[in-house]
Amino acid sequence: MTDSTGPSDNGSEPSPFPMDRGTCPFSPPPEYAGMRAAGTPAKVRLRWSGKEVWAVSRHEDVRQVLSDSTMSSNWKLPAYPLQVPVPDEMLQQLELPLVAMDPPEHSARRRVLIPELTARRAQALRPRIQEIVDEHIDAMLAQDGPVDLIQALAFPVPALIFCELLGVPAADSDFFRRVAETLVRSDVEQEEMISAQIEMEAYLDKLVSEKEASPGDDVISRIIVKNRETPTIERRDILNLAKNLLFGGFDTTSNMIALGVLVLLEHPEQLAELRGDPGLAPNAVEELLRYLSIADSSPARAVLQDVEIGGTLIRAGEGVIALTSSANRDENVFPDPDRFDIHRDTFGHSAFGHGIHQCPGANIVRVELEVVFTTLFARIPELRLAVPREEVSFKSHTLVHGVNGELPVTW
């Protein structure tokens, strides 16, 4: 076992983080493979703050970090490796979302939310999701010339589903998208971050007030009504649950749709199999989730007591980032991990996280992706890019990977 004392794990200067992706926009940074081969956590330096933290890359170690009760998800702790430029004075006043809470507070609030997001409820939503997808594909087919897939499908479909779940006007989806994208960028100015945070807090406060006065048939209203009957959480907790849905809601699904379409287009033989047998969709979606791992570095922890990870002693008061995309490319778990294969056994992938903070909306996301991919390629079998792939731009230095700007397609 090695000790964590020193400027880095091997005496070298820590690499800037987040790291740049290589030539393939679907793959994690090439340095991750070297980190896995080394077999131990590596020190990195956060670009926006200069803080040195540990990056964990192996599947086994990532899952240890995400399930270890001696590590905290609390953003307010000095050791927590926050990757977006939130001023400390603002951070300390912030009501933390579910993803940034530890037990027992986290447990009580998650128990309130989970019944609204079960696999059964997700399947009950499938007909409505199908309607929404068909309506948007109808609109695509009615247009002449190339269509921006993001504006036509990848963004509006999950946004509309998200708005219906929360009971907010569909017209507000552009606001949610702008705020969500701002809050996960590491290169945004602090003033813009503060403004987005204030806007979101004000909107959610107004939303909850409206639901309290006149509950509807949506997630937030049902939580409010149940909490009146059996009080278990405070009003601010309901606000935070709404915030958690915003953080993990439509923006990630939108990015998965756009990137997933690109991946399938670049694997025409497997796409043909999927078109011929829609029953392959559930496993194809799991493989896309593993292969893309778009929320690569979102899971992070503050170490509360000394712990050994991958043979390295990491001290209390240090920060750890769990690299889920690296875990999902671990050669010891997924043979030939850089190969996309819709027939692969994807059991154990960490695209939705792991442990108590595993994404609560995973069931709904899975159904959305299944419906989108099967319907899109069944109804538009000749779908293809309208520009060379080299002209497609991708996001950088953000907690959620995706296409940056437009994704022109035609048929």
Side-chain angles (χ1 to χ4, degrees):
M1 179 176 67
T2 60
D3 195 292
S4 68
T5 304
S8 73
D9 58 308
N10 59 9
S12 61
E13 184 69 17
S15 300
F17 192 89
M19 298 170 180
D20 295 324
R21 292 175 179 261
T23 56
C24 177
F26 310 131
S27 298
E31 290 90 346
Y32 289 7
M35 293 163 64
R36 288 195 305 275
T40 58
K43 274 287 181 73
V44 296
R45 177 176 286 110
L46 300 182
R47 290 180 184 270
W48 85 270
S49 66
K51 179 186 290 187
E52 291 187 15
V53 302
W54 292 98
V56 175
S57 57
R58 297 191 310 164
H59 184 273
E60 176 185 357
D61 298 338
V62 165
R63 288 172 78 87
Q64 177 187 343
V65 168
L66 298 183
S67 59
D68 195 328
S69 61
T70 68
M71 300 188 194
S72 174
S73 298
N74 189 341
W75 295 349
K76 296 183 180 183
L77 295 179
Y80 187 88
L82 197 68
Q83 297 173 65
V84 292
V86 180
D88 187 65
E89 60 274 15
M90 180 180 183
L91 180 64
Q92 297 307 319
Q93 297 176 11
L94 189 67
E95 290 286 351
L96 293 175
L98 190 65
V99 69
M101 290 182 177
D102 298 323
E105 292 80 10
H106 170 269
S107 307
R109 288 149 185 79
R110 188 176 174 98
R111 279 196 296 269
V112 172
L113 181 61
I114 286 301
E116 298 293 334
L117 304 172
T118 62
R120 177 177 293 183
R121 191 174 288 276
Q123 291 301 329
L125 286 171
R126 186 182 286 269
R128 178 56 182 147
I129 294 172
Q130 185 69 63
E131 288 179 1
I132 292 171
V133 171
D134 279 327
E135 289 169 0
H136 284 81
I137 294 178
D138 286 343
M140 287 176 60
L141 291 169
Q143 298 185 50
D144 294 325
V147 172
D148 177 11
L149 188 75
I150 293 178
Q151 290 301 323
L153 188 74
F155 168 65
V157 166
L160 187 55
I161 294 166
F162 171 83
C163 288
E164 290 193 5
L165 279 173
L166 264 65
V168 301
D172 292 348
S173 60
D174 285 336
F175 163 77
F176 279 117
R177 182 187 191 185
R178 176 176 59 80
V179 170
E181 289 182 342
T182 299
L183 295 175
V184 297
R185 284 168 48 200
S186 61
D187 59 347
V188 68
E189 296 294 332
Q190 284 194 356
E191 292 76 12
E192 187 178 357
M193 178 69 68
I194 293 172
S195 176
Q197 185 72 35
I198 292 173
E199 283 186 275
M200 181 185 67
E201 297 281 358
Y203 184 97
L204 294 178
D205 183 71
K206 181 174 179 290
L207 173 66
V208 170
S209 294
E210 291 172 350
K211 302 298 180 187
E212 289 171 333
S214 180
D217 184 19
D218 57 78
V219 170
I220 301 301
S221 293
R222 287 192 292 269
I223 289 175
I224 288 171
V225 171
K226 289 179 184 177
N227 199 55
R228 283 175 181 169
E229 297 169 352
T230 307
T232 56
I233 57 176
E234 303 293 332
R235 183 180 187 276
R236 68 175 184 273
D237 299 320
I238 297 174
L239 282 168
N240 287 335
L241 290 177
K243 184 188 300 182
N244 197 78
L245 290 170
L246 172 62
F247 272 109
F250 66 85
D251 185 56
T252 49
T253 311
S254 175
N255 285 303
M256 270 301 303
I257 291 172
L259 287 173
V261 166
L262 277 174
V263 171
L264 290 169
L265 288 175
E266 294 199 1
H267 295 82
E269 293 182 358
Q270 296 188 63
L271 176 55
E273 283 191 78
L274 180 59
R275 278 202 301 261
D277 182 4
L280 294 172
N283 206 72
V285 164
E286 296 301 323
E287 173 65 347
L288 284 166
L289 289 164
R290 180 203 71 86
Y291 187 70
L292 292 169
S293 301
I294 63 172
D296 169 33
S297 63
S298 296
R301 299 290 187 267
V303 180
L304 301 179
Q305 63 186 56
D306 291 1
V307 61
E308 182 180 343
I309 302 174
T312 297
L313 178 63
I314 297 181
R315 301 289 189 181
E318 295 187 304
V320 177
I321 295 174
L323 303 175
T324 56
S325 69
S326 180
N328 288 338
R329 298 291 182 104
D330 192 325
E331 301 82 352
N332 294 315
V333 179
F334 305 104
D336 196 6
D338 295 330
R339 178 173 56 87
F340 176 73
D341 180 6
I342 63 173
H343 300 288
R344 178 191 299 277
D345 179 2
T346 61
F347 180 77
H349 79 68
S350 303
F352 286 120
H354 178 66
I356 64 171
H357 284 289
Q358 190 167 10
C359 174
N363 292 316
I364 294 175
V365 171
R366 286 184 166 107
V367 173
E368 286 185 59
L369 295 177
E370 288 176 25
V371 173
V372 166
F373 295 135
T374 55
T375 307
L376 177 63
F377 288 109
R379 295 194 58 190
I380 315 180
E382 301 303 320
L383 187 82
R384 62 186 186 277
L385 282 179
V387 297
R389 220 268 272 139
E390 294 72 22
E391 294 183 12
V392 178
S393 175
F394 298 91
K395 296 178 180 178
S396 61
H397 302 166
T398 177
L399 293 179
V400 180
H401 185 49
V403 175
N404 185 37
E406 298 182 349
L407 184 61
V409 295
T410 189
W411 48 90

